Amino acid sequence: MKHRHRVTLIPGDGIGPEVSEAATKVIDASGVDIDWEVAEAGAAFIDKYGTPIPEKVIDSIRRNKVALKGPVTTPVGKGFKSVNVTLRKSLNLYANIRPIKTYKGVESRYDDVDLVIFRENTEDLYAGIEFMVNDEIAQSVKIISRNASRKIVKAAFEYAVNNGRKKVTAVHKANIMKLSDGLFLRTAQEVASEYSGIEFDNVIVDAMSMKLVLNPEKYDVLVMPNLYGDILSDLASGLVGGLGLVPGANIGEEQAIFEPAHGSAPDIAGQNKANPTAIILSSVMMLKYLHEGEAADRIEKAVETVLRDKKYLTPDLGGSSTTYEFANAVISKL
Ligand code: NAI
């Protein structure tokens, strides 16, 4: 008998509801049996709940252990805490994993990018410890711990071993932040010494930005603290055709949230033209996590075929198809 999974679905806001609906249709069409528990979170729900992230959303993920999430808007400057940071910290989802690769049919400057970014997800400048020293000076505290650094670097090496990857590169700024990034780098070197079969090197984040633009094909698995991971994920998405293509997973010891790397894209929200590839590929990562590898592979192949055929590309990739036309094309290839 088929196993029934219960999964929390956070559609989010902006383009979130459109792309999430596309993804759930594709998953349902693949034959995997999922009972979706819809949870409302994001800026659009502040009036209803008094917070963008009601406690019952976190409870739902604690219970179901797995969530698929669309993007949510985080107001800039002041106001409520970021939904994403709250979820990642309260569930201790320490590893943010973003595979970035070129797809045939998608115009980009490079042919052969295939890298995976492991971003530490719970600390660094995102710990949210900020205060005004006086009216003129603001201060942010950067936290780097040996424990969290070890966990993310180990996750990167374990991924490399299990997925036939050859090299792990640690990205840091230890030449300037000698204590915090120094601790990250030392910890990475210690973990690397436990994995003799995988090559290891380290690159300073500013140099890494240049190297990624010049020769992205040279890189394999990258591991780094939170802020550099946030920035380099977007940079790397630009190497392969944009944010509409890059999926992601936030993994902890007990729970996992799968979500695209992109945000709520207010500039195109509600127009049925967002590219759902990133969230569909996030669903592929989720299905693998749920041991539904066969369906995951079928969906991934269907997405690759639709991209390669170029008939149903969304406007971000130079096409004129809608979100749902793209999703339906994927479904028809299943
Ligand atoms: P964004 O990723 O929403 O958009 C950047 C650019 O990429 C825009 O031009 C947008 O149209 C385009 N884009 C993004 N996703 C696309 C898709 N699927 N298809 C086609 N084009 C796409 O970044 P932005 O504008 O900086 O952030 C908007 C809001 O999203 C902010 O409030 C931000 O805090 C939030 N955000 C939320 C995230 C999450 O929930 N995981 C992640 C990143 C940002």
Side-chain angles (χ1 to χ4, degrees):
M1 211 180 79
K2 255 194 333 190
H3 182 67
R4 181 151 223 229
H5 307 276
R6 196 165 167 81
V7 172
T8 302
L9 174 69
I10 304 173
D13 52 43
I15 59 171
E18 302 162 56
V19 293
S20 315
E21 191 182 335
T24 51
K25 280 197 168 136
V26 170
I27 299 172
D28 292 343
S30 77
V32 178
D33 189 7
I34 295 190
D35 177 12
W36 299 102
E37 184 173 298
V38 177
E40 294 178 326
F45 301 101
I46 294 175
D47 283 350
K48 190 164 170 189
Y49 299 111
T51 163
I53 174 77
E55 197 54 39
K56 64 179 183 184
V57 174
I58 301 175
D59 288 344
S60 166
I61 304 171
R62 280 214 174 92
R63 220 176 24 249
N64 297 329
K65 311 239 185 284
V66 177
L68 180 66
K69 176 180 164 298
V72 296
T73 306
T74 304
V76 175
K78 46 185 179 258
F80 293 95
K81 238 163 88 179
S82 153
V83 169
N84 296 316
V85 173
T86 306
L87 283 173
R88 292 167 192 174
K89 283 185 70 181
S90 46
L91 299 170
N92 195 19
L93 306 175
Y94 62 88
N96 187 324
I97 306 166
R98 288 171 174 167
I100 292 153
K101 62 183 219 176
T102 37
Y103 288 97
K104 291 202 170 57
V106 176
E107 299 284 331
S108 71
R109 294 203 183 100
Y110 310 92
D111 299 328
D112 221 3
V113 179
D114 186 7
L115 48 90
V116 186
I117 292 182
F118 277 73
R119 162 186 173 192
E120 201 291 321
N121 222 6
T122 58
E123 50 182 35
D124 193 356
L125 283 163
Y126 291 50
I129 308 170
E130 282 197 305
F131 48 90
M132 298 302 294
V133 176
N134 57 40
D135 282 351
E136 306 300 318
I137 302 176
Q139 190 168 0
S140 284
V141 178
K142 168 162 165 144
I143 307 274
I144 299 280
S145 72
R146 181 187 294 281
N147 184 34
S149 303
R150 195 176 160 79
K151 274 162 69 172
I152 190 70
V153 179
K154 229 175 147 43
F157 273 94
E158 284 296 317
Y159 178 91
V161 169
N162 294 327
N163 292 276
R165 298 278 180 164
K166 304 219 155 23
K167 184 164 107 179
V168 174
T169 303
V171 181
H172 61 89
K173 188 79 187 173
N175 52 331
I176 303 295
M177 281 163 275
K178 293 182 193 303
L179 297 184
S180 52
D181 280 21
L183 177 60
F184 179 82
L185 177 58
R186 269 201 321 283
T187 308
Q189 287 162 333
E190 279 163 24
V191 174
S193 68
E194 298 161 19
Y195 292 85
S196 55
I198 307 282
E199 199 187 324
F200 174 72
D201 65 356
N202 73 85
V203 180
I204 292 172
V205 62
D206 39 349
M208 191 72 217
S209 310
M210 178 199 66
K211 286 168 188 263
L212 274 179
V213 172
L214 282 179
N215 295 112
E217 314 81 8
K218 285 197 175 156
Y219 295 93
D220 195 347
V221 176
L222 306 177
V223 61
M224 61 201 82
N226 208 337
L227 175 63
Y228 312 143
D230 193 357
I231 298 169
L232 289 190
S233 307
D234 275 30
L235 182 148
S237 82
L239 304 172
V240 299
L243 280 166
L245 294 170
V246 177
N250 301 284
I251 312 255
E253 313 285 4
E254 300 271 331
Q255 290 92 8
I257 298 179
F258 297 83
E259 63 174 339
H262 63 72
S264 55
D267 51 337
I268 55 166
Q271 299 173 31
N272 192 18
K273 65 184 193 192
N275 186 348
T277 302
I279 194 166
I280 296 174
L281 293 175
S282 305
S283 315
V284 166
M285 295 175 83
M286 180 185 86
L287 292 178
K288 288 181 181 164
Y289 184 89
L290 290 171
H291 304 292
E292 295 283 2
E294 184 274 324
D297 290 343
R298 262 191 299 130
I299 296 175
E300 193 170 15
K301 284 212 174 68
V303 170
E304 283 172 3
T305 308
V306 175
L307 291 173
R308 200 180 51 224
D309 290 351
K310 291 192 186 187
K311 259 182 25 206
Y312 294 100
L313 298 183
T314 43
D316 56 311
L317 300 181
S320 56
S321 292
T322 64
T323 307
Y324 298 127
E325 282 166 353
F326 182 93
N328 286 335
V330 172
I331 290 169
S332 73
K333 298 287 180 203
L334 288 174

